[in-house]
Amino acid sequence: MLSSIGAAVATAAPKLRSPGGGYQELSVPSSMGPIEVQVQWAAHGGSAALYVLDGLRAPTDHSQWTSDTDALRQFAGDNVTLVFPVGGRSSFYTDWYRPSSTNQQPTTYKWETFLTKELPEYLARYGVSRTNDAIVGASMGGNAALILAGHHRDQFKFAGSFSGFVHPTFPLWNEAMRAAMWDEGNFNVDDMWGPVGDPAWSRNDATEQAELLRGLPIYLSTGNGQPGPLDVPYGIGNTMNGMALEAMTLASAQMFRDRVAELGIDARIDIFDGTHTWPYWQQALAAARPMILDALGAH
């Protein structure tokens, strides 16, 4: 369904949408080729937008936010357009140096360019603002949301990270990323930001770049790695894996918290019983929603 709709959109200039919300699937041109984007238009035709980023295992045919959470329902009556880029597994939503050398990747990931230039330019044709956006992400997308907002303050007015790995330059965490990216698609982390010590690592570390977030409304949430009530449906295997991952995001959240406190930067940081699973990210999005609407003036 995505491809058939996308083909029509790609060959003709889109018409400005009419007010009143609605859902649409777009195919957006990029340097990586056409990128599918799921969109829920602002309920009253407003121009504000919320970009929502997936995790490491981002599917190729839809955003997990639309299948594994009630994100669409949460914002159904709000005057903000939800933007769900599809794909980008193991990409960290960043601009890579080159294609991954270990899996015959045909093109170079250029997700920062897409999310901050190509996609907003395309959405502007539908009346979506390029200067009044918010961005949130889960897991892999959490650090990316903070980094993209920090480097593109002219576009983003709010940033949220849910169980994000927000301090990737912490010693040996690059090896954890290497293992995770190899497991999810045989991607090579060295082709993303180069060897450890390359400036790209620091540029894409939200804790290192915290100063860029000064004055920006920020919401960061993470579990403490201990199973909570939302873990029960996931079974013992998923819970054990989620416990280990969330222990890492807890550590990075605490380091981020200490860094922004040292700099005197305001940020809301919530830590709760829970693991690395979608029900908690749905809960985090609901907690962030009032802050997002306030930041965008989208009530």
Side-chain angles (χ1 to χ4, degrees):
M1 180 171 65
L2 280 170
S3 58
S4 61
I5 294 175
V9 173
T11 57
K15 298 178 181 179
L16 291 179
R17 71 184 189 277
S18 59
Y23 174 84
Q24 193 170 357
E25 296 175 337
L26 307 174
S27 181
V28 182
S30 83
S31 65
M32 300 178 284
I35 302 295
E36 311 301 337
V37 180
Q38 297 172 271
V39 176
Q40 178 172 274
W41 301 113
H44 310 297
S47 62
L50 169 63
Y51 287 54
V52 190
L53 304 182
D54 244 333
L56 190 78
R57 303 186 187 280
T60 60
D61 62 348
H62 72 283
S63 166
Q64 280 192 267
W65 282 100
T66 65
S67 62
D68 290 31
T69 78
D70 66 351
L72 293 170
R73 184 195 61 78
Q74 284 188 31
F75 288 84
D78 296 323
N79 205 22
V80 56
T81 291
L82 299 190
V83 179
F84 303 94
V86 174
R89 66 173 183 162
S90 292
S91 70
F92 283 83
Y93 294 107
T94 187
D95 282 2
W96 286 43
Y97 278 132
R98 52 190 172 269
S100 176
S101 57
T102 48
N103 62 358
Q104 290 76 53
Q105 186 180 20
T107 60
T108 302
Y109 273 148
K110 293 292 181 183
W111 278 96
E112 180 172 353
T113 296
F114 179 69
L115 293 167
T116 63
K117 186 177 189 307
E118 295 163 340
L119 180 54
E121 286 179 357
Y122 190 87
L123 292 175
R125 299 157 68 184
Y126 288 82
V128 176
S129 175
R130 297 177 58 182
T131 60
N132 192 35
D133 302 333
I135 187 166
V136 299
S139 190
M140 173 186 79
N143 182 72
L146 298 181
I147 282 296
L148 291 169
H151 286 299
H152 300 276
R153 292 290 296 272
D154 57 334
Q155 179 179 357
F156 296 110
K157 307 306 179 189
F158 173 91
S161 170
F162 313 145
S163 300
F165 298 90
V166 296
H167 196 9
T169 63
F170 190 71
L172 297 181
W173 280 23
N174 65 300
E175 293 304 322
M177 290 172 62
R178 181 186 302 279
M181 292 165 66
W182 179 260
D183 181 65
E184 184 51 42
N186 296 338
F187 286 90
N188 185 356
V189 69
D190 296 330
D191 296 318
M192 181 170 69
W193 295 331
V196 173
D198 187 290
W201 280 87
S202 178
R203 183 192 182 277
N204 288 285
D205 184 311
T207 301
E208 293 293 319
Q209 300 298 328
E211 180 60 42
L212 297 178
L213 299 169
R214 185 180 297 277
L216 186 78
I218 302 166
Y219 177 60
L220 189 150
S221 73
T222 183
N224 57 15
Q226 299 302 310
L230 301 182
D231 287 287
V232 175
Y234 276 71
I236 187 65
N238 284 327
T239 297
M240 292 297 291
N241 184 52
M243 289 171 64
L245 290 171
E246 205 71 352
M248 292 182 64
T249 68
L250 171 64
S252 68
Q254 291 170 328
M255 288 184 279
F256 180 85
R257 179 189 61 194
D258 293 345
R259 178 60 176 160
V260 294
E262 177 187 8
L263 295 172
I265 295 173
D266 290 333
R268 175 179 168 182
I269 300 173
D270 289 349
I271 298 173
F272 48 82
D273 288 342
T275 65
H276 207 73
T277 53
W278 280 100
Y280 293 106
W281 304 335
Q282 172 178 294
Q283 181 175 272
L285 182 63
R289 177 175 161 272
M291 297 178 65
I292 293 168
L293 298 179
D294 286 345
L296 298 178
H299 290 283

